[in-house]
Amino acid sequence: MPADPLHRAATPQRSTTSQPPGGSGASAIEVRRSARRRRTVSAYREGDRTVVLIPARMSEAEEQRWVNVMLDKLAAQESKRVLGDAELTERAERLSAQYFDGRARPTSVRWVTNQNTRWGSCTPAEGSIRLSHRLQGMPEYVIDYVVLHELAHLLVPGHGPRFWRLLEAYPRTERARGYLEGVVAAERLPHLPGARGE
């Protein structure tokens, strides 16, 4: 979400930065208090930080509540946004630089609709990565994990210890794997007739 230029112009009375609830791997949160802001609260992403703008008079408890509300709101907005293939390739390059020292160099990263049993696939000889369209709408950290998984295959072909050591660099690996396992488990649950409409 782009920064609001009006909010950048405001002079904050106090600004604090903290790590978000939910552990490592998430971006830092910067809370900016402004005496000019009366009632509204807003938030946006700025690089690897989340900036939350609140009125200066808010209590610490109100601040924490609004930070959580705005984090949830941003996450919901981002999960609805579908990255294009060019954005996926750019994201893969950024993830490779961050976690693999830029050693994994994909030639293309794109969405495909013919992968219903796999989340992603990679052809190391071509450097191409394909992601299942079923990932669209999932949290970004899950998509990042699948991209990193396929990037790791550009460096190590199988799923041996060396492969998993590469993925240990990504702090949300276990969380993302758990999310994907939950999706698969939910798809296998028996669907009761009429359960939705009643």
Side-chain angles (χ1 to χ4, degrees):
M1 176 185 279
D4 181 346
L6 294 175
H7 294 140
R8 285 179 171 231
T11 306
Q13 180 181 11
R14 183 167 63 91
S15 179
T16 57
T17 303
S18 63
Q19 288 300 319
S24 63
S27 63
I29 300 163
E30 180 179 340
V31 176
R32 296 180 187 169
R33 289 176 173 260
S34 171
R36 292 165 59 188
R37 187 174 282 268
R38 297 286 177 221
R39 288 185 298 243
T40 60
V41 176
S42 62
Y44 59 90
R45 305 281 192 211
E46 187 175 80
D48 62 350
R49 292 180 305 154
T50 301
V51 178
V52 181
L53 306 161
I54 64 172
R57 62 176 173 69
M58 267 193 189
S59 69
E60 293 295 320
E62 287 175 308
E63 173 184 317
Q64 191 55 54
R65 184 177 72 82
W66 275 107
V67 165
N68 290 331
V69 165
M70 298 312 287
L71 287 175
D72 289 345
K73 189 174 181 180
L74 281 174
Q77 289 171 347
E78 289 168 352
S79 71
K80 290 177 186 169
R81 185 174 167 269
V82 175
L83 300 171
D85 291 349
E87 291 172 301
L88 279 177
T89 301
E90 182 183 306
R91 188 180 204 97
E93 289 167 357
R94 199 166 56 244
L95 289 167
S96 176
Q98 185 174 357
Y99 295 103
F100 301 148
D101 298 320
R103 292 178 294 136
R105 295 187 184 100
T107 56
S108 68
V109 183
R110 61 190 175 91
W111 298 111
V112 294
T113 57
N114 62 351
Q115 286 187 164
N116 293 316
T117 58
R118 290 195 262 179
W119 297 114
S121 63
C122 165
T123 307
E126 298 173 4
S128 62
I129 292 173
R130 293 160 304 284
L131 301 179
S132 172
H133 72 286
R134 297 182 307 139
L135 289 165
Q136 293 173 347
M138 290 189 187
E140 289 191 4
Y141 75 90
V142 175
I143 296 170
D144 285 352
Y145 163 73
V146 176
V147 170
L148 279 165
H149 185 107
E150 301 310 329
L151 285 170
H153 280 308
L154 294 177
L155 303 173
V156 179
H159 288 104
R162 198 167 142 242
F163 174 85
W164 293 111
R165 273 196 303 276
L166 279 174
L167 286 178
E168 285 174 3
Y170 183 55
R172 300 180 103 178
T173 290
E174 289 306 314
R175 184 174 177 193
R177 290 184 71 191
Y179 184 100
L180 293 171
E181 287 169 7
V183 170
V184 170
E187 289 172 352
R188 291 181 180 156
L189 290 174
H191 297 285
L192 300 175
R196 288 187 178 198
E198 293 176 7

mmCIF file of all heavy atoms in Angstrom, residues 67-109:
data_model
loop_
_atom_site.group_PDB
_atom_site.id
_atom_site.type_symbol
_atom_site.label_atom_id
_atom_site.label_comp_id
_atom_site.label_asym_id
_atom_site.label_seq_id
_atom_site.Cartn_x
_atom_site.Cartn_y
_atom_site.Cartn_z
ATOM 1 N N VAL A 67 -2.965 -1.145 16.553
ATOM 2 C CA VAL A 67 -1.873 -1.764 15.786
ATOM 3 C C VAL A 67 -2.322 -3.129 15.296
ATOM 4 O O VAL A 67 -2.165 -3.463 14.117
ATOM 5 C CB VAL A 67 -0.577 -1.857 16.626
ATOM 6 C CG1 VAL A 67 0.422 -2.819 15.985
ATOM 7 C CG2 VAL A 67 0.054 -0.475 16.796
ATOM 8 N N ASN A 68 -2.920 -3.929 16.175
ATOM 9 C CA ASN A 68 -3.395 -5.263 15.782
ATOM 10 C C ASN A 68 -4.481 -5.187 14.719
ATOM 11 O O ASN A 68 -4.474 -5.958 13.756
ATOM 12 C CB ASN A 68 -3.895 -6.038 17.005
ATOM 13 C CG ASN A 68 -2.757 -6.444 17.919
ATOM 14 O OD1 ASN A 68 -1.629 -6.645 17.478
ATOM 15 N ND2 ASN A 68 -3.048 -6.545 19.205
ATOM 16 N N VAL A 69 -5.414 -4.245 14.878
ATOM 17 C CA VAL A 69 -6.492 -4.074 13.904
ATOM 18 C C VAL A 69 -5.909 -3.719 12.530
ATOM 19 O O VAL A 69 -6.283 -4.288 11.501
ATOM 20 C CB VAL A 69 -7.497 -2.975 14.367
ATOM 21 C CG1 VAL A 69 -8.401 -2.528 13.227
ATOM 22 C CG2 VAL A 69 -8.319 -3.484 15.542
ATOM 23 N N MET A 70 -4.955 -2.780 12.518
ATOM 24 C CA MET A 70 -4.393 -2.318 11.252
ATOM 25 C C MET A 70 -3.512 -3.384 10.601
ATOM 26 O O MET A 70 -3.484 -3.506 9.374
ATOM 27 C CB MET A 70 -3.634 -1.005 11.436
ATOM 28 C CG MET A 70 -4.500 0.146 11.922
ATOM 29 S SD MET A 70 -6.057 0.370 11.012
ATOM 30 C CE MET A 70 -5.453 1.040 9.467
ATOM 31 N N LEU A 71 -2.802 -4.177 11.395
ATOM 32 C CA LEU A 71 -2.010 -5.283 10.830
ATOM 33 C C LEU A 71 -2.927 -6.292 10.152
ATOM 34 O O LEU A 71 -2.633 -6.777 9.047
ATOM 35 C CB LEU A 71 -1.177 -5.963 11.912
ATOM 36 C CG LEU A 71 0.040 -5.193 12.422
ATOM 37 C CD1 LEU A 71 0.682 -5.946 13.579
ATOM 38 C CD2 LEU A 71 1.048 -4.949 11.313
ATOM 39 N N ASP A 72 -4.049 -6.613 10.810
ATOM 40 C CA ASP A 72 -5.016 -7.544 10.225
ATOM 41 C C ASP A 72 -5.610 -6.976 8.933
ATOM 42 O O ASP A 72 -5.783 -7.689 7.942
ATOM 43 C CB ASP A 72 -6.143 -7.860 11.212
ATOM 44 C CG ASP A 72 -5.681 -8.737 12.364
ATOM 45 O OD1 ASP A 72 -4.576 -9.332 12.272
ATOM 46 O OD2 ASP A 72 -6.412 -8.820 13.370
ATOM 47 N N LYS A 73 -5.903 -5.676 8.948
ATOM 48 C CA LYS A 73 -6.496 -5.024 7.779
ATOM 49 C C LYS A 73 -5.526 -5.035 6.602
ATOM 50 O O LYS A 73 -5.906 -5.364 5.470
ATOM 51 C CB LYS A 73 -6.887 -3.588 8.147
ATOM 52 C CG LYS A 73 -7.700 -2.877 7.101
ATOM 53 C CD LYS A 73 -8.157 -1.534 7.635
ATOM 54 C CE LYS A 73 -8.995 -0.808 6.604
ATOM 55 N NZ LYS A 73 -9.459 0.486 7.084
ATOM 56 N N LEU A 74 -4.261 -4.701 6.860
ATOM 57 C CA LEU A 74 -3.259 -4.726 5.794
ATOM 58 C C LEU A 74 -3.072 -6.137 5.239
ATOM 59 O O LEU A 74 -2.968 -6.329 4.027
ATOM 60 C CB LEU A 74 -1.915 -4.195 6.301
ATOM 61 C CG LEU A 74 -1.765 -2.686 6.412
ATOM 62 C CD1 LEU A 74 -0.435 -2.338 7.072
ATOM 63 C CD2 LEU A 74 -1.874 -2.015 5.059
ATOM 64 N N ALA A 75 -3.014 -7.117 6.134
ATOM 65 C CA ALA A 75 -2.840 -8.510 5.698
ATOM 66 C C ALA A 75 -4.005 -8.948 4.818
ATOM 67 O O ALA A 75 -3.805 -9.628 3.801
ATOM 68 C CB ALA A 75 -2.701 -9.425 6.904
ATOM 69 N N ALA A 76 -5.223 -8.553 5.182
ATOM 70 C CA ALA A 76 -6.397 -8.916 4.389
ATOM 71 C C ALA A 76 -6.336 -8.262 3.006
ATOM 72 O O ALA A 76 -6.633 -8.899 1.994
ATOM 73 C CB ALA A 76 -7.677 -8.498 5.114
ATOM 74 N N GLN A 77 -5.935 -6.996 2.959
ATOM 75 C CA GLN A 77 -5.810 -6.303 1.668
ATOM 76 C C GLN A 77 -4.753 -6.972 0.792
ATOM 77 O O GLN A 77 -4.954 -7.173 -0.401
ATOM 78 C CB GLN A 77 -5.443 -4.833 1.887
ATOM 79 C CG GLN A 77 -6.541 -3.998 2.463
ATOM 80 C CD GLN A 77 -6.065 -2.613 2.870
ATOM 81 O OE1 GLN A 77 -4.874 -2.338 2.940
ATOM 82 N NE2 GLN A 77 -7.004 -1.731 3.155
ATOM 83 N N GLU A 78 -3.625 -7.309 1.395
ATOM 84 C CA GLU A 78 -2.526 -7.900 0.634
ATOM 85 C C GLU A 78 -2.870 -9.287 0.136
ATOM 86 O O GLU A 78 -2.443 -9.692 -0.939
ATOM 87 C CB GLU A 78 -1.255 -7.941 1.484
ATOM 88 C CG GLU A 78 -0.676 -6.558 1.694
ATOM 89 C CD GLU A 78 0.394 -6.515 2.762
ATOM 90 O OE1 GLU A 78 0.595 -7.530 3.471
ATOM 91 O OE2 GLU A 78 1.023 -5.458 2.898
ATOM 92 N N SER A 79 -3.651 -10.057 0.923
ATOM 93 C CA SER A 79 -3.979 -11.414 0.503
ATOM 94 C C SER A 79 -4.929 -11.409 -0.693
ATOM 95 O O SER A 79 -4.977 -12.370 -1.452
ATOM 96 C CB SER A 79 -4.582 -12.211 1.651
ATOM 97 O OG SER A 79 -5.880 -11.760 1.944
ATOM 98 N N LYS A 80 -5.668 -10.312 -0.896
ATOM 99 C CA LYS A 80 -6.581 -10.218 -2.034
ATOM 100 C C LYS A 80 -5.843 -9.807 -3.308
ATOM 101 O O LYS A 80 -6.322 -10.027 -4.399
ATOM 102 C CB LYS A 80 -7.685 -9.202 -1.739
ATOM 103 C CG LYS A 80 -8.660 -9.674 -0.694
ATOM 104 C CD LYS A 80 -9.676 -8.612 -0.395
ATOM 105 C CE LYS A 80 -10.561 -9.043 0.759
ATOM 106 N NZ LYS A 80 -11.384 -7.961 1.263
ATOM 107 N N ARG A 81 -4.691 -9.208 -3.150
ATOM 108 C CA ARG A 81 -3.931 -8.719 -4.284
ATOM 109 C C ARG A 81 -3.141 -9.861 -4.919
ATOM 110 O O ARG A 81 -2.435 -10.585 -4.245
ATOM 111 C CB ARG A 81 -2.959 -7.635 -3.799
ATOM 112 C CG ARG A 81 -2.207 -6.966 -4.888
ATOM 113 C CD ARG A 81 -1.391 -5.821 -4.289
ATOM 114 N NE ARG A 81 -0.437 -5.379 -5.270
ATOM 115 C CZ ARG A 81 0.799 -5.867 -5.368
ATOM 116 N NH1 ARG A 81 1.222 -6.785 -4.534
ATOM 117 N NH2 ARG A 81 1.610 -5.432 -6.302
ATOM 118 N N VAL A 82 -3.281 -10.036 -6.212
ATOM 119 C CA VAL A 82 -2.570 -11.098 -6.918
ATOM 120 C C VAL A 82 -1.350 -10.491 -7.607
ATOM 121 O O VAL A 82 -1.463 -9.542 -8.374
ATOM 122 C CB VAL A 82 -3.490 -11.782 -7.959
ATOM 123 C CG1 VAL A 82 -2.716 -12.804 -8.760
ATOM 124 C CG2 VAL A 82 -4.677 -12.422 -7.263
ATOM 125 N N LEU A 83 -0.192 -11.049 -7.296
ATOM 126 C CA LEU A 83 1.039 -10.593 -7.931
ATOM 127 C C LEU A 83 1.073 -11.059 -9.376
ATOM 128 O O LEU A 83 0.709 -12.190 -9.675
ATOM 129 C CB LEU A 83 2.256 -11.159 -7.195
ATOM 130 C CG LEU A 83 2.414 -10.787 -5.724
ATOM 131 C CD1 LEU A 83 3.529 -11.606 -5.094
ATOM 132 C CD2 LEU A 83 2.700 -9.310 -5.585
ATOM 133 N N GLY A 84 1.537 -10.202 -10.270
ATOM 134 C CA GLY A 84 1.722 -10.599 -11.660
ATOM 135 C C GLY A 84 3.027 -11.372 -11.811
ATOM 136 O O GLY A 84 3.856 -11.412 -10.894
ATOM 137 N N ASP A 85 3.237 -11.982 -12.980
ATOM 138 C CA ASP A 85 4.440 -12.765 -13.212
ATOM 139 C C ASP A 85 5.714 -11.930 -13.073
ATOM 140 O O ASP A 85 6.716 -12.402 -12.530
ATOM 141 C CB ASP A 85 4.387 -13.439 -14.588
ATOM 142 C CG ASP A 85 3.325 -14.537 -14.663
ATOM 143 O OD1 ASP A 85 2.779 -14.911 -13.607
ATOM 144 O OD2 ASP A 85 3.051 -15.023 -15.770
ATOM 145 N N ALA A 86 5.681 -10.692 -13.555
ATOM 146 C CA ALA A 86 6.873 -9.829 -13.446
ATOM 147 C C ALA A 86 7.178 -9.539 -11.975
ATOM 148 O O ALA A 86 8.345 -9.551 -11.562
ATOM 149 C CB ALA A 86 6.649 -8.525 -14.211
ATOM 150 N N GLU A 87 6.116 -9.310 -11.189
ATOM 151 C CA GLU A 87 6.308 -9.078 -9.752
ATOM 152 C C GLU A 87 6.825 -10.332 -9.050
ATOM 153 O O GLU A 87 7.640 -10.247 -8.140
ATOM 154 C CB GLU A 87 4.995 -8.631 -9.103
ATOM 155 C CG GLU A 87 4.552 -7.242 -9.519
ATOM 156 C CD GLU A 87 3.157 -6.933 -9.008
ATOM 157 O OE1 GLU A 87 2.215 -7.672 -9.363
ATOM 158 O OE2 GLU A 87 3.025 -5.958 -8.246
ATOM 159 N N LEU A 88 6.349 -11.493 -9.489
ATOM 160 C CA LEU A 88 6.829 -12.749 -8.908
ATOM 161 C C LEU A 88 8.325 -12.923 -9.170
ATOM 162 O O LEU A 88 9.075 -13.313 -8.280
ATOM 163 C CB LEU A 88 6.077 -13.946 -9.500
ATOM 164 C CG LEU A 88 4.710 -14.280 -8.934
ATOM 165 C CD1 LEU A 88 4.108 -15.451 -9.697
ATOM 166 C CD2 LEU A 88 4.782 -14.591 -7.459
ATOM 167 N N THR A 89 8.749 -12.632 -10.398
ATOM 168 C CA THR A 89 10.168 -12.766 -10.748
ATOM 169 C C THR A 89 11.007 -11.797 -9.921
ATOM 170 O O THR A 89 12.048 -12.174 -9.372
ATOM 171 C CB THR A 89 10.374 -12.525 -12.260
ATOM 172 O OG1 THR A 89 9.586 -13.485 -12.980
ATOM 173 C CG2 THR A 89 11.835 -12.677 -12.646
ATOM 174 N N GLU A 90 10.528 -10.567 -9.786
ATOM 175 C CA GLU A 90 11.238 -9.566 -8.979
ATOM 176 C C GLU A 90 11.309 -10.003 -7.515
ATOM 177 O O GLU A 90 12.342 -9.885 -6.860
ATOM 178 C CB GLU A 90 10.511 -8.224 -9.106
ATOM 179 C CG GLU A 90 11.159 -7.087 -8.349
ATOM 180 C CD GLU A 90 10.341 -5.812 -8.477
ATOM 181 O OE1 GLU A 90 10.042 -5.405 -9.616
ATOM 182 O OE2 GLU A 90 9.993 -5.244 -7.423
ATOM 183 N N ARG A 91 10.210 -10.550 -7.021
ATOM 184 C CA ARG A 91 10.157 -11.024 -5.633
ATOM 185 C C ARG A 91 11.135 -12.180 -5.429
ATOM 186 O O ARG A 91 11.831 -12.250 -4.424
ATOM 187 C CB ARG A 91 8.735 -11.470 -5.310
ATOM 188 C CG ARG A 91 8.506 -11.807 -3.869
ATOM 189 C CD ARG A 91 7.063 -12.225 -3.663
ATOM 190 N NE ARG A 91 6.703 -12.014 -2.295
ATOM 191 C CZ ARG A 91 6.074 -10.953 -1.837
ATOM 192 N NH1 ARG A 91 5.732 -9.993 -2.649
ATOM 193 N NH2 ARG A 91 5.788 -10.840 -0.562
ATOM 194 N N ALA A 92 11.195 -13.094 -6.399
ATOM 195 C CA ALA A 92 12.117 -14.230 -6.308
ATOM 196 C C ALA A 92 13.568 -13.749 -6.280
ATOM 197 O O ALA A 92 14.381 -14.257 -5.507
ATOM 198 C CB ALA A 92 11.892 -15.181 -7.487
ATOM 199 N N GLU A 93 13.881 -12.762 -7.089
ATOM 200 C CA GLU A 93 15.246 -12.221 -7.106
ATOM 201 C C GLU A 93 15.590 -11.586 -5.751
ATOM 202 O O GLU A 93 16.694 -11.751 -5.242
ATOM 203 C CB GLU A 93 15.396 -11.207 -8.238
ATOM 204 C CG GLU A 93 15.383 -11.857 -9.614
ATOM 205 C CD GLU A 93 15.219 -10.865 -10.758
ATOM 206 O OE1 GLU A 93 15.048 -9.651 -10.499
ATOM 207 O OE2 GLU A 93 15.257 -11.317 -11.924
ATOM 208 N N ARG A 94 14.625 -10.886 -5.182
ATOM 209 C CA ARG A 94 14.837 -10.245 -3.879
ATOM 210 C C ARG A 94 15.017 -11.299 -2.782
ATOM 211 O O ARG A 94 15.895 -11.185 -1.932
ATOM 212 C CB ARG A 94 13.647 -9.336 -3.576
ATOM 213 C CG ARG A 94 13.907 -8.291 -2.524
ATOM 214 C CD ARG A 94 12.849 -7.208 -2.476
ATOM 215 N NE ARG A 94 11.500 -7.714 -2.293
ATOM 216 C CZ ARG A 94 10.525 -7.581 -3.194
ATOM 217 N NH1 ARG A 94 10.751 -6.975 -4.333
ATOM 218 N NH2 ARG A 94 9.332 -8.049 -2.948
ATOM 219 N N LEU A 95 14.190 -12.355 -2.819
ATOM 220 C CA LEU A 95 14.300 -13.421 -1.825
ATOM 221 C C LEU A 95 15.628 -14.169 -1.972
ATOM 222 O O LEU A 95 16.264 -14.522 -0.980
ATOM 223 C CB LEU A 95 13.127 -14.393 -1.953
ATOM 224 C CG LEU A 95 11.769 -13.849 -1.488
ATOM 225 C CD1 LEU A 95 10.643 -14.754 -1.954
ATOM 226 C CD2 LEU A 95 11.735 -13.672 0.018
ATOM 227 N N SER A 96 16.053 -14.402 -3.199
ATOM 228 C CA SER A 96 17.334 -15.066 -3.435
ATOM 229 C C SER A 96 18.474 -14.233 -2.870
ATOM 230 O O SER A 96 19.390 -14.760 -2.227
ATOM 231 C CB SER A 96 17.546 -15.303 -4.931
ATOM 232 O OG SER A 96 18.827 -15.858 -5.167
ATOM 233 N N ALA A 97 18.409 -12.930 -3.094
ATOM 234 C CA ALA A 97 19.459 -12.041 -2.570
ATOM 235 C C ALA A 97 19.463 -12.051 -1.048
ATOM 236 O O ALA A 97 20.523 -12.094 -0.415
ATOM 237 C CB ALA A 97 19.248 -10.622 -3.090
ATOM 238 N N GLN A 98 18.277 -12.046 -0.443
ATOM 239 C CA GLN A 98 18.171 -11.966 1.012
ATOM 240 C C GLN A 98 18.576 -13.260 1.710
ATOM 241 O O GLN A 98 19.248 -13.228 2.737
ATOM 242 C CB GLN A 98 16.742 -11.591 1.407
ATOM 243 C CG GLN A 98 16.564 -11.379 2.892
ATOM 244 C CD GLN A 98 15.167 -10.862 3.237
ATOM 245 O OE1 GLN A 98 14.353 -10.609 2.362
ATOM 246 N NE2 GLN A 98 14.903 -10.730 4.513
ATOM 247 N N TYR A 99 18.173 -14.405 1.148
ATOM 248 C CA TYR A 99 18.372 -15.674 1.858
ATOM 249 C C TYR A 99 19.438 -16.594 1.260
ATOM 250 O O TYR A 99 19.962 -17.448 1.952
ATOM 251 C CB TYR A 99 17.039 -16.429 1.960
ATOM 252 C CG TYR A 99 16.046 -15.689 2.816
ATOM 253 C CD1 TYR A 99 15.001 -14.977 2.239
ATOM 254 C CD2 TYR A 99 16.173 -15.658 4.210
ATOM 255 C CE1 TYR A 99 14.092 -14.275 3.026
ATOM 256 C CE2 TYR A 99 15.270 -14.962 4.995
ATOM 257 C CZ TYR A 99 14.239 -14.277 4.394
ATOM 258 O OH TYR A 99 13.346 -13.579 5.172
ATOM 259 N N PHE A 100 19.738 -16.413 -0.035
ATOM 260 C CA PHE A 100 20.700 -17.305 -0.686
ATOM 261 C C PHE A 100 21.872 -16.538 -1.294
ATOM 262 O O PHE A 100 22.509 -17.018 -2.228
ATOM 263 C CB PHE A 100 20.009 -18.148 -1.768
ATOM 264 C CG PHE A 100 18.873 -19.004 -1.274
ATOM 265 C CD1 PHE A 100 17.795 -19.281 -2.096
ATOM 266 C CD2 PHE A 100 18.868 -19.547 0.002
ATOM 267 C CE1 PHE A 100 16.743 -20.078 -1.666
ATOM 268 C CE2 PHE A 100 17.824 -20.338 0.450
ATOM 269 C CZ PHE A 100 16.756 -20.602 -0.384
ATOM 270 N N ASP A 101 22.111 -15.317 -0.819
ATOM 271 C CA ASP A 101 23.206 -14.481 -1.338
ATOM 272 C C ASP A 101 23.130 -14.298 -2.847
ATOM 273 O O ASP A 101 24.163 -14.149 -3.515
ATOM 274 C CB ASP A 101 24.574 -15.068 -0.948
ATOM 275 C CG ASP A 101 24.768 -15.119 0.563
ATOM 276 O OD1 ASP A 101 24.353 -14.151 1.236
ATOM 277 O OD2 ASP A 101 25.309 -16.120 1.054
ATOM 278 N N GLY A 102 21.928 -14.347 -3.417
ATOM 279 C CA GLY A 102 21.739 -14.130 -4.851
ATOM 280 C C GLY A 102 22.195 -15.288 -5.727
ATOM 281 O O GLY A 102 22.238 -15.155 -6.953
ATOM 282 N N ARG A 103 22.510 -16.426 -5.125
ATOM 283 C CA ARG A 103 23.027 -17.565 -5.912
ATOM 284 C C ARG A 103 21.955 -18.243 -6.755
ATOM 285 O O ARG A 103 22.257 -18.807 -7.801
ATOM 286 C CB ARG A 103 23.695 -18.592 -4.986
ATOM 287 C CG ARG A 103 24.977 -18.064 -4.359
ATOM 288 C CD ARG A 103 25.588 -19.080 -3.404
ATOM 289 N NE ARG A 103 24.718 -19.282 -2.261
ATOM 290 C CZ ARG A 103 24.412 -20.469 -1.739
ATOM 291 N NH1 ARG A 103 24.923 -21.570 -2.241
ATOM 292 N NH2 ARG A 103 23.606 -20.565 -0.705
ATOM 293 N N ALA A 104 20.703 -18.235 -6.314
ATOM 294 C CA ALA A 104 19.613 -18.837 -7.100
ATOM 295 C C ALA A 104 19.101 -17.777 -8.070
ATOM 296 O O ALA A 104 18.597 -16.742 -7.647
ATOM 297 C CB ALA A 104 18.503 -19.320 -6.177
ATOM 298 N N ARG A 105 19.258 -18.036 -9.359
ATOM 299 C CA ARG A 105 18.886 -17.044 -10.373
ATOM 300 C C ARG A 105 17.843 -17.618 -11.333
ATOM 301 O O ARG A 105 18.205 -18.242 -12.335
ATOM 302 C CB ARG A 105 20.127 -16.611 -11.144
ATOM 303 C CG ARG A 105 21.135 -15.892 -10.292
ATOM 304 C CD ARG A 105 22.259 -15.328 -11.133
ATOM 305 N NE ARG A 105 23.259 -14.716 -10.272
ATOM 306 C CZ ARG A 105 24.394 -15.300 -9.933
ATOM 307 N NH1 ARG A 105 24.689 -16.491 -10.392
ATOM 308 N NH2 ARG A 105 25.245 -14.677 -9.152
ATOM 309 N N PRO A 106 16.580 -17.401 -11.046
ATOM 310 C CA PRO A 106 15.550 -17.931 -11.951
ATOM 311 C C PRO A 106 15.481 -17.109 -13.240
ATOM 312 O O PRO A 106 15.718 -15.903 -13.229
ATOM 313 C CB PRO A 106 14.265 -17.773 -11.142
ATOM 314 C CG PRO A 106 14.532 -16.600 -10.255
ATOM 315 C CD PRO A 106 16.005 -16.669 -9.924
ATOM 316 N N THR A 107 15.173 -17.792 -14.347
ATOM 317 C CA THR A 107 14.959 -17.070 -15.603
ATOM 318 C C THR A 107 13.523 -16.594 -15.705
ATOM 319 O O THR A 107 13.238 -15.592 -16.357
ATOM 320 C CB THR A 107 15.290 -17.969 -16.814
ATOM 321 O OG1 THR A 107 14.506 -19.156 -16.723
ATOM 322 C CG2 THR A 107 16.775 -18.324 -16.830
ATOM 323 N N SER A 108 12.607 -17.336 -15.048
ATOM 324 C CA SER A 108 11.203 -16.909 -15.031
ATOM 325 C C SER A 108 10.498 -17.509 -13.814
ATOM 326 O O SER A 108 10.855 -18.592 -13.356
ATOM 327 C CB SER A 108 10.481 -17.346 -16.311
ATOM 328 O OG SER A 108 10.348 -18.748 -16.348
ATOM 329 N N VAL A 109 9.524 -16.763 -13.325
ATOM 330 C CA VAL A 109 8.657 -17.230 -12.236
ATOM 331 C C VAL A 109 7.247 -16.841 -12.659
ATOM 332 O O VAL A 109 6.992 -15.673 -12.940
ATOM 333 C CB VAL A 109 9.015 -16.573 -10.886
ATOM 334 C CG1 VAL A 109 8.152 -17.142 -9.774
ATOM 335 C CG2 VAL A 109 10.488 -16.736 -10.558
#
